[in-house]
Amino acid sequence: MGASRLAAILFASVACWFGATPSSAQEPIKIGVLTIRSGPATPVGDDILAGIETATKMYGPVLARPVELIIEESQWNAQQAVTKATKLVQQNRVVAILGTSTVETLALLPVADRIGVPIVTSNSGSAALTRENCSKWVFRTNGEDLMSAEALRYLISQKADLRNAKWFTLGHDYPFSRLVAGTVKSVKELNYVGDAFAPMDTTDWSPFIARARAAGATAIMVSVTLGTPMLQFLQQASDFGLTKEAQLVAPIGLPDWLVAKLGSLSTSVISAGSWAAWRYEDNEPATKQFNEAFFKIHGRVAGMQALQAGSAAQMLYSAISKAGSTDPDKVVQALETIEARTPVGALKFQDGGRQAMVPLFLGPYEAVNPPLYGAQFAQRVETAFPASKSLPQSAAESGCKLK
């Protein structure tokens, strides 16, 4: 037997021993990214995608194989989300889906068994997703609205002006906005005086601001979509003097690209529980590591949705590595037990459930002196409210009964 033939046999034997062949070792692992890529909320999708790209460069290759991201536009439309997710799995052969927000995740939940790959969402409200409607396939890394309610209770317990305020919800008329209003109403300690929901194409907020004023609101939960519409609303709220009459509260914080556009106006807002905050790097080395990598790749600060999406991608890649396979069932099993230090801190999924035990970040927006990562204003993290307090129940007690 020739030396070259013997070497080839030995190489093939070693590859088989480790569960790979020369060709499969280089075949990319395809991951679907389903998010908004057009319209006023495009910056949200930009941050989600940039966060996933950053994590992919930080933690790839996976299983000694490159990771290929297959990106699809959701338009934040339920039917589009189902169509594109089906395409990602059946045509593009992705092994998992990242990037979804509330609209897409709610749409995919009823068809998750048919889609048949793990979906790790990082930008979805609706507690039911990981409570009574939980699915084998759908995991969530961001905090949900009932967790936010506990964070809000804590926030008002610390601030007398919020305890004594007249609360009003003002935002767009879409599912997450209604969820936010329900969360605020559920806090029995609050004096809730009303709400107003605007059509999704609203650009003139004056009639809705007038309704908040007529109700005598002194604290306003702002559930406007986190894109250009939020910028328009806050600018008009300032022009009409609303920021001097009422404390504006962001239910999940503000994206940092928006904070940059608002400048000093951002200091009129406090967060009732941001899903992520880049200044958590003062306490968490993994946040700092991600911030530095993100800035090197994208030349800007890592926003809230970027940090969350990066955390979701890291959890997925860690699970695939732990599973030693891209088999969907094996990856799901690995996700159930994986623990990692991520850009939002130490993360694991609830035992027997699909909700990440993730902190919510409370604090005001302020000037950053000197600027860092190009950011001149950002949220100060006064409290990283732990999941042990926002989600003390077990998954089963929360309503999640997996089949």
Side-chain angles (χ1 to χ4, degrees):
M1 182 181 294
S4 60
R5 173 66 174 162
L6 177 61
I9 292 173
L10 288 173
F11 181 82
S13 299
V14 171
C16 291
W17 178 262
F18 284 101
T21 64
S23 59
S24 68
Q26 294 303 316
E27 182 182 347
I29 295 174
K30 295 182 179 181
I31 304 295
V33 180
L34 181 62
T35 191
I36 190 161
R37 303 301 303 129
S38 61
T42 299
V44 177
D46 290 344
D47 258 11
I48 289 172
L49 178 57
I52 294 169
E53 289 173 337
T54 300
T56 301
K57 290 185 179 180
M58 290 177 69
Y59 302 108
V62 177
L63 301 181
R65 295 162 59 185
V67 175
E68 180 182 353
L69 301 178
I70 310 294
I71 303 158
E72 286 288 353
E73 160 74 277
S74 71
Q75 297 179 347
W76 275 0
N77 176 278
Q79 184 57 53
Q80 175 95 335
V82 172
T83 300
K84 290 302 182 72
T86 302
K87 174 183 178 292
L88 283 168
V89 173
Q90 295 184 356
Q91 295 184 30
N92 300 115
R93 316 303 294 178
V94 303
V95 301
I97 295 174
L98 296 168
T100 61
S101 298
T102 305
V103 172
E104 299 102 326
T105 312
L106 286 171
L108 295 181
L109 198 64
V111 297
D113 287 339
R114 174 169 63 79
I115 290 173
V117 300
I119 300 166
V120 187
T121 182
S122 58
N123 198 50
S124 294
S126 180
L129 286 171
T130 47
R131 294 189 183 231
E132 61 268 27
N133 293 335
C134 67
S135 163
K136 164 187 173 178
W137 300 105
V138 180
F139 295 77
R140 171 167 47 196
T141 58
N142 64 275
E144 38 97 322
D145 45 297
L146 294 181
M147 295 170 71
S148 296
E150 295 303 320
L152 180 58
R153 286 189 181 95
Y154 175 81
L155 178 65
I156 64 174
S157 75
Q158 303 299 303
K159 296 182 180 294
D161 58 333
L162 295 181
R163 283 197 304 276
N164 300 323
K166 294 181 179 179
W167 283 79
F168 192 95
T169 302
L170 199 164
H172 279 117
D173 194 357
Y174 76 121
F176 180 71
S177 191
R178 298 279 179 173
L179 288 168
V180 168
T183 297
V184 182
K185 290 178 185 177
S186 74
V187 181
K188 293 182 172 50
E189 299 88 338
L190 296 185
N191 178 15
Y192 193 78
V193 296
D195 43 50
F197 302 106
M200 293 297 289
D201 60 354
T202 296
T203 57
D204 178 8
W205 289 93
S206 58
F208 306 97
I209 290 172
R211 287 173 62 179
R213 276 179 159 164
T218 56
I220 299 176
M221 186 67 79
V222 182
S223 55
V224 177
T225 56
L226 292 178
T228 302
M230 178 67 90
L231 176 62
Q232 294 171 335
F233 168 77
L234 290 175
Q235 288 174 333
Q236 291 176 41
S238 176
D239 292 342
F240 286 112
L242 188 63
T243 54
K244 295 179 181 178
E245 300 169 3
Q247 174 64 65
L248 303 186
V249 183
I252 61 170
L254 297 175
D256 288 85
W257 70 265
L258 178 59
V259 172
K261 289 181 178 294
L262 291 170
S264 60
L265 183 56
S266 66
T267 62
S268 65
V269 179
I270 62 172
S271 171
S274 298
W275 288 346
W278 68 262
R279 291 174 78 189
Y280 193 50
E281 70 169 29
D282 294 339
N283 304 94
E284 175 54 65
T287 309
K288 184 175 180 64
Q289 182 185 20
F290 185 87
N291 288 342
E292 291 173 345
F294 188 95
F295 184 72
K296 183 176 180 180
I297 296 168
H298 300 285
R300 56 187 171 88
V301 72
M304 174 180 67
Q305 275 115 346
L307 290 158
Q308 258 296 338
S311 298
Q314 182 183 345
M315 293 293 280
L316 175 63
Y317 298 153
S318 298
I320 292 173
S321 296
K322 182 176 181 177
S325 169
T326 58
D327 176 79
D329 287 298
K330 291 181 180 179
V331 175
V332 164
Q333 291 173 5
L335 280 166
E336 291 175 336
T337 58
I338 200 73
E339 297 184 35
R341 299 211 71 92
T342 74
V344 295
L347 211 58
K348 60 173 287 191
F349 292 102
Q350 197 176 22
D351 291 341
R354 295 298 184 259
Q355 174 60 50
M357 301 297 287
V358 61
L360 294 167
F361 301 93
L362 308 179
Y365 291 83
E366 63 181 13
V368 178
N369 292 313
L372 186 59
Y373 306 119
Q376 296 181 315
F377 293 87
Q379 183 187 3
R380 181 175 78 246
V381 179
E382 291 183 333
T383 303
F385 191 66
S388 60
K389 292 184 178 179
S390 66
L391 189 60
Q393 313 98 320
S394 68
E397 290 169 339
S398 298
C400 178
K401 297 183 177 14
L402 294 167
K403 298 177 182 178

